[in-house]
Amino acid sequence: MSTLIDELEARKNDYVLVADVITLMENATNSTPHEVVKYLDAHNIDEQISIFYMDESYNFEPYNGHLIGLGNDANRTYFHKSDVMAFEPITKHNVFKESLYTNNIVADVYGRTHDVNQYKKNREETYLTLSETIDLINTNINPSNQYGLSVDNTKLRDLARKKNFTPCFYYHGYVGEIDYQGILHTEIIAGYFTYRLLTEEICGFDNYMELPSDGVKIYRIIERKSARFADYDDGLFLFYKNPNGLTNAEADRQTHVEADEIRFVKREVDSYIASLANNSMSRDDTPAQNDSKLLAKLKKLQSENDDLNARLSTARNTYKQHRNEIKALTEKNEKADSEKAELIEQLNSVQAKLADKQTDSATLSNTDIQNIKKAAIKQFNRSLAMALIDLDYQSNLRKGDIVNFIIPYMKELAYVLADEQADKAKVLTVKSKTIYDTHLQGLKFKQGTQTKKERERVNIELLFKKQLPVTE
């Protein structure tokens, strides 16, 4: 088992999260994530470096996606580390420092940071069964039972109640939690778990322990695919198999654990034994200066404080990023509204001129009037295309997308200019090729053939009739 764990650890060390690379570039260049992604896309990173995802067996498989539009998948997809470190547009910014090799810091979806090296430390822990724990304490403290300090199940339960050590049980499989929106999130975890009333099971004689209906919490992580939903509180559920959302969650939830699965960390038991030995040597009941339990608590509090500061910093940065993106989108929307008002004013002016010229048939022919109307339609098509290009901050729209969007509005304007006569309106409209080659001449669009995924994602109606996304 230890050989397999070492192999998995070595395999994971060959890869780095896409989100971590973007964050390192963001910090090194004082840029936003959006700017970093555009920079890497401009240097053809998709053609130079492959993206991977890690499956349930901890194998890395190719991920058929592009850096542009990757979004939240960046938190669960990987680059091969050697490929990234050989990619000159990244390495020239000196983002890969020594700390990357010694500290594998990852972020979960809540903005909290975690050191995955801690999991390796957890694997070094030794766990004892109930009988092994009792034997170890009695053998070291009271081998001849001369002081009446022998420990049995009842005494062990009382020590656990006093937080001298924490009972837990091993589990490997799907775990999940329900967020504040009522959505169930799951992932595969191997580790030790506990719950508040597990101490009472120490004296139980049943074959199975009933898990609480409100869930358990993580005691130690041994192995996991990512830090995606790390640092659970109470409310974590165990499943026989991955449930299909909340629909099958109750049926697939594990409700019992074998009673003889209770375990204790040997290090904590050793600490308790050491404290008893110190107390037995002290006749005045003066606390030992080097109380290992107090030192452990102090270390834990310091770790929790550091974690809280890191989470606050991440939350602050996330808020600042979202605020800036919302501000930028608001400014673009205001600009679009201004251009729309200007376009309407231009159309009104053209219509007014047409009305004036129609009263002077001696100086303006029908051909002249027809040409003016066609010129108005051309300018309308061009102005509408420019507004769409300016709003398309992710550069996802191609020329064909914009032309298809313009055509129904062009026909509507032609109908108005033709005094609502369909046959005359048809004469004023033009074909797609004319819009391509003449009306939109000189404007810049995204080049290349659309992929199937892009065709499914790009929808101009969705962009303008629904809320624009605030993040990538």
Side-chain angles (χ1 to χ4, degrees):
M1 182 65 182
S2 60
T3 303
L4 175 61
I5 291 175
D6 292 340
E7 179 182 343
L8 293 176
E9 194 70 18
R11 191 186 306 167
K12 287 171 61 179
N13 288 338
D14 292 335
Y15 294 82
V16 58
L17 276 173
V18 175
D20 289 349
V21 175
I22 295 173
T23 300
L24 289 169
M25 283 288 291
E26 174 187 352
N27 295 334
T29 60
N30 193 27
S31 306
T32 66
H34 176 64
E35 291 171 336
V36 171
V37 171
K38 290 192 68 174
Y39 168 84
L40 296 176
D41 183 66
H43 286 80
N44 301 318
I45 189 171
D46 289 339
E47 298 177 9
Q48 303 294 328
I49 303 180
S50 300
I51 300 176
F52 302 86
Y53 72 94
M54 185 164 57
D55 63 20
E56 296 177 2
S57 300
Y58 297 91
N59 295 316
F60 288 86
E61 302 292 343
Y63 181 92
N64 297 323
H66 303 283
L67 195 64
I68 288 286
L70 199 59
N72 286 333
D73 281 351
N75 289 296
R76 41 188 186 268
T77 52
Y78 298 79
F79 286 131
H80 204 284
K81 190 179 294 184
S82 61
D83 291 344
V84 177
M85 296 181 65
F87 191 53
E88 193 272 343
I90 293 180
T91 57
K92 74 177 183 180
H93 294 287
N94 194 29
V95 298
F96 286 95
K97 301 178 182 178
E98 185 65 24
S99 60
L100 185 64
Y101 301 96
T102 57
N103 296 312
N104 286 323
I105 303 299
V106 295
D108 62 26
V109 295
Y110 303 110
R112 300 169 297 204
T113 56
H114 308 270
D115 183 0
V116 296
N117 283 331
Q118 182 61 44
Y119 304 155
K120 183 177 180 181
K121 298 177 184 177
N122 291 343
R123 287 194 289 274
E124 296 171 355
E125 295 274 21
T126 299
Y127 290 82
L128 305 175
T129 64
L130 275 172
S131 59
E132 289 172 339
T133 303
I134 293 173
D135 290 343
L136 181 63
I137 295 175
N138 290 332
T139 300
N140 285 273
I141 297 303
N142 188 23
S144 60
N145 197 25
Q146 58 185 352
Y147 302 114
L149 294 177
S150 60
V151 174
D152 56 12
N153 280 21
T154 302
K155 178 65 175 178
L156 195 61
R157 179 200 62 190
D158 295 339
L159 291 173
R161 284 175 173 175
K162 296 175 181 179
K163 309 299 183 184
N164 290 97
F165 24 70
T166 303
C168 57
F169 63 92
Y170 178 81
Y171 173 78
H172 169 260
Y174 283 100
V175 300
E177 69 167 350
I178 301 174
D179 64 18
Y180 66 95
Q181 295 179 326
I183 299 174
L184 177 66
H185 302 286
T186 61
E187 66 169 316
I188 294 179
I189 290 180
Y192 287 87
F193 300 78
T194 187
Y195 55 91
R196 187 173 61 86
L197 293 180
L198 182 56
T199 54
E200 306 305 319
E201 303 290 348
I202 295 175
C203 286
F205 296 97
D206 296 331
N207 293 329
Y208 295 94
M209 302 179 297
E210 183 176 356
L211 299 180
S213 59
D214 57 351
V216 300
K217 62 181 179 180
I218 292 175
Y219 182 64
R220 293 284 191 275
I221 292 294
I222 302 301
E223 187 71 54
R224 75 187 315 156
K225 290 177 61 176
S226 70
R228 187 181 179 197
F229 299 107
D231 194 24
Y232 295 98
D233 295 323
D234 288 344
L236 179 67
F237 299 98
L238 312 180
F239 298 99
Y240 294 106
K241 60 181 181 179
N242 195 17
N244 182 18
L246 290 176
T247 305
N248 300 324
E250 187 61 30
D252 297 333
R253 183 170 68 89
Q254 183 164 319
T255 58
H256 293 78
V257 177
E258 292 185 11
D260 59 3
E261 284 298 308
I262 293 180
R263 297 291 184 269
F264 298 93
V265 178
K266 183 177 182 298
R267 173 178 49 80
E268 295 180 352
V269 178
D270 289 338
S271 176
Y272 170 72
I273 294 173
S275 68
L276 287 183
N278 290 334
N279 289 337
S280 66
M281 291 185 294
S282 176
R283 299 302 179 184
D284 57 359
D285 295 329
T286 302
Q289 292 182 351
N290 295 320
D291 189 342
S292 58
K293 188 168 67 174
L294 290 177
L295 291 176
K297 288 183 178 180
L298 179 61
K299 184 177 180 180
K300 181 179 179 181
L301 289 174
Q302 182 63 46
S303 175
E304 291 175 349
N305 184 63
D306 293 342
D307 180 64
L308 179 60
N309 289 334
R311 290 161 60 183
L312 288 173
S313 176
T314 302
R316 184 165 52 249
N317 293 337
T318 302
Y319 167 78
K320 185 184 298 183
Q321 173 189 331
H322 288 179
R323 182 187 62 190
N324 292 338
E325 290 179 351
I326 291 173
K327 180 180 178 182
L329 287 172
T330 301
E331 291 175 353
K332 288 187 176 182
N333 284 336
E334 290 175 352
K335 184 177 180 181
D337 290 338
S338 176
E339 291 177 347
K340 178 181 177 182
E342 182 179 348
L343 182 60
I344 292 174
E345 183 178 348
Q346 291 176 3
L347 289 174
N348 291 338
S349 176
V350 169
Q351 289 179 336
K353 290 180 180 179
L354 286 174
D356 292 339
K357 290 184 177 297
Q358 286 175 349
T359 61
D360 189 6
S361 59
T363 59
L364 190 64
S365 67
N366 290 334
T367 301
D368 293 333
I369 294 174
Q370 195 78 345
N371 289 336
I372 291 173
K373 292 180 179 180
K374 290 182 178 180
I377 288 178
K378 176 181 178 181
Q379 183 58 41
F380 170 82
N381 291 348
R382 187 176 183 85
S383 297
L384 187 54
M386 293 171 66
L388 291 172
I389 293 171
D390 192 55
L391 284 172
D392 182 25
Y393 72 102
Q394 289 185 327
S395 300
N396 283 325
L397 300 181
R398 287 175 168 77
K399 203 171 187 178
D401 300 321
I402 294 177
V403 171
N404 291 336
F405 181 80
I406 289 174
I407 288 175
Y409 293 96
M410 174 188 67
K411 291 181 179 180
E412 183 178 346
L413 176 59
Y415 189 73
V416 173
L417 294 178
D419 297 326
E420 300 184 353
Q421 299 181 51
D423 56 337
K424 293 183 178 181
K426 186 175 181 180
V427 176
L428 294 176
T429 59
V430 296
K431 296 183 178 180
S432 299
K433 188 175 187 306
T434 301
I435 300 177
Y436 265 101
D437 300 337
T438 305
H439 292 190
L440 307 186
Q441 186 177 10
L443 300 183
K444 294 182 178 180
F445 304 85
K446 183 170 182 178
Q447 301 299 316
T449 303
Q450 255 184 334
T451 64
K452 181 179 179 181
K453 187 174 182 180
E454 287 176 327
R455 285 197 300 271
E456 293 173 350
R457 189 176 74 251
V458 174
N459 189 324
I460 300 179
E461 291 293 319
L462 181 64
L463 287 176
F464 286 93
K465 291 186 178 181
K466 296 185 180 180
Q467 182 182 3
L468 286 168
V470 297
T471 64
E472 294 180 24

